[in-house]
Amino acid sequence: MAVACHRRPDGDAVGSLLAMAHWLERQGKTVGLYCFDAIPQTLGFLAGLERIRSQVDAFWSETQAVVLVDCGDLSMAGVEAERVSGKALAVIDHHVTNPGFGAVNCINAEASSTA
């Protein structure tokens, strides 16, 4: 399962990414983490940052499911639509502008953050 957050990540994006990976792994899933842009140095204290990939790779291509966290739309993740085509797509977000573009959507526009 691939998990990705938005470009130019902030603490909410990275925290949500790492937390989702931790939860999925506790459920027995194999997880690949993605963020198009580099993680800010101010977040360097977070455990697991070394696992985050900046480019879609073979793991992404082979996975059957993608979870996007803190992404109001697909372009925010820096992922082309064809990269998620045919995959189960879940979206977990708090942006009021999110149109609910996943097959499964958990969007709470009243929340201050995704995490």
Side-chain angles (χ1 to χ4, degrees):
M1 184 169 294
V3 182
C5 66
H6 65 71
R7 294 171 170 251
R8 297 179 304 281
D10 54 16
D12 183 28
V14 177
S16 297
L17 180 70
L18 295 170
M20 179 56 63
H22 179 72
W23 183 80
L24 288 168
E25 289 168 345
R26 301 243 354 216
Q27 308 310 307
K29 306 297 181 196
T30 301
V31 179
L33 303 177
Y34 296 88
C35 184
F36 186 83
D37 291 322
I39 306 302
Q41 290 182 343
T42 56
L43 301 175
F45 65 93
L46 294 171
L49 292 181
E50 71 283 351
R51 298 179 50 203
I52 301 172
R53 303 166 186 170
S54 61
Q55 295 188 1
V56 171
D57 59 10
F59 179 87
W60 181 291
S61 299
E62 295 169 7
T63 192
Q64 297 176 349
V66 176
V67 178
L68 295 181
V69 295
D70 202 26
C71 288
D73 62 55
L74 189 58
S75 68
M76 287 181 70
V79 176
E80 300 87 11
E82 62 267 12
R83 295 286 192 177
V84 297
S85 179
K87 300 181 186 308
L89 177 61
V91 176
I92 302 172
D93 190 28
H94 71 108
H95 294 99
V96 68
T97 57
N98 192 314
F101 60 95
V104 175
N105 297 285
C106 180
I107 302 165
N108 182 351
E110 295 179 17
S112 63
S113 63
T114 297

